[in-house]
Amino acid sequence: MNDGAKRHGNDCPPIADQKAELKRVWELFQPDNIRLFELRAIDPLSAMHPQTEHFRADTYDCLASLQDAFEDRALELNQAGYNIYTTLNPVKPDFRGSAAKDADILHRSLLLIDIDRVGNTKQPATDDEVTGALILAEAISSFLAENEWLDPLLMMSGNGAHLYYRLPDLPNTDQSTALVKGVLQTLSQKFDNDEFAVDRSVFNAGRITKVPGTIMRNGQETKERPYRMARLLR
């Protein structure tokens, strides 16, 4: 057990709650069409050496077995003190490296809009700050709905809000990167305020995203700034 786990031993919700929420990770993805899943565990005290594991469909007897293995390992590493992520977009099935980079992505299947508070984000957010990020996320989704975008998935990420929009498996090209980057810039210009902002940096194809059902730990928690479990809200 690492130092992070020793320092953060009293913040876990009931295991049953985590397990139930972890299963919702498959609402974000389309596991029937993905042959390789990457799990990345990052120590909040030393992010320089993440622990990366891959779950390949051809090594399991069925998709349900792969999903169970992914969920169990994510929970185990999260309980050990790691923050848990996976790649936003599917990794090429023949990938054999350590951690997937932009060039290792098969195609773009999701657009992430990450809303967070402005200023010091090295400490956990307050409840009011999380609520503010979710309110801005709702404003953005309403605006995009008015422009004929389909409804997104909404996640409380632990300290802010994530909107996930499905893409029609865009090719992993410079043109797709420019398109995603332009969307984030446009939304940022329209919706950023003094307290909350759209993260413009999450445009790259190899972006990782938090796994629902896992606790997000950064900085020192207090009564006003607790660690929280990431949850899909809709």
Side-chain angles (χ1 to χ4, degrees):
M1 182 178 292
N2 69 357
D3 290 340
K6 293 175 183 177
R7 286 178 54 185
H8 308 310
N10 299 316
D11 58 326
C12 293
I15 296 300
D17 288 358
Q18 282 196 264
K19 287 183 175 181
E21 190 65 31
L22 263 165
K23 290 190 175 299
R24 299 194 66 194
V25 68
W26 312 114
E27 296 178 33
L28 278 177
F29 305 105
Q30 297 173 321
D32 288 334
N33 300 323
I34 301 176
R35 308 304 298 167
L36 185 156
F37 291 90
E38 180 172 298
L39 187 155
R40 205 173 303 181
I42 299 178
D43 187 334
L45 301 180
S46 177
M48 296 301 293
H49 302 288
Q51 185 169 329
T52 305
E53 300 182 15
H54 294 100
F55 298 78
R56 301 177 185 275
D58 58 7
T59 63
Y60 293 88
D61 57 0
C62 64
L63 177 59
S65 295
L66 182 153
Q67 291 172 307
D68 288 345
F70 182 98
E71 294 163 23
D72 290 346
R73 187 60 173 149
L75 179 60
E76 179 183 16
L77 288 168
N78 193 224
Q79 289 182 310
Y82 291 92
N83 292 326
I84 308 300
Y85 301 84
T86 189
T87 51
L88 182 68
N89 296 300
V91 180
K92 294 176 180 177
D94 59 352
F95 174 71
R96 296 294 172 183
S98 54
K101 299 178 175 59
D102 291 346
D104 303 313
I105 297 302
L106 182 63
H107 53 247
R108 289 179 178 268
S109 58
L110 287 172
L111 167 69
L112 167 63
I113 302 172
D114 183 356
I115 299 102
D116 208 343
R117 62 197 191 277
V118 173
N120 179 16
T121 58
K122 294 183 179 180
Q123 301 300 326
T126 65
D127 289 346
D128 285 346
E129 288 169 341
V130 171
T131 298
L134 290 170
I135 289 172
L136 185 57
E138 294 287 3
I140 291 172
S141 64
S142 294
F143 167 75
L144 293 175
E146 292 170 0
N147 287 274
E148 299 184 351
W149 286 51
L150 298 178
D151 290 338
L153 289 169
L154 171 65
M155 184 165 80
M156 190 283 292
S157 63
N159 292 303
H162 287 177
L163 292 168
Y164 297 93
Y165 283 89
R166 298 211 179 278
L167 300 173
D169 290 350
L170 297 179
N172 183 15
T173 61
D174 290 343
Q175 290 81 3
S176 295
T177 298
L179 176 63
V180 171
K181 190 173 184 179
V183 168
L184 297 179
Q185 288 176 337
T186 298
L187 293 175
S188 174
Q189 291 167 359
K190 182 174 180 61
F191 287 99
D192 285 3
N193 56 52
D194 292 339
E195 296 181 281
F196 303 97
V198 173
D199 189 343
R200 298 188 184 197
S201 71
V202 299
F203 61 83
N204 62 303
R207 176 62 49 176
I208 57 175
T209 189
K210 296 183 184 76
V211 173
T214 62
I215 300 160
M216 181 59 190
R217 302 178 176 97
N218 63 317
Q220 182 61 49
E221 71 170 337
T222 65
K223 182 178 180 180
E224 293 74 25
R225 295 183 177 275
Y227 297 144
R228 299 178 185 84
M229 181 175 71
R231 293 181 182 273
L232 280 172
L233 302 181
R234 68 159 192 262

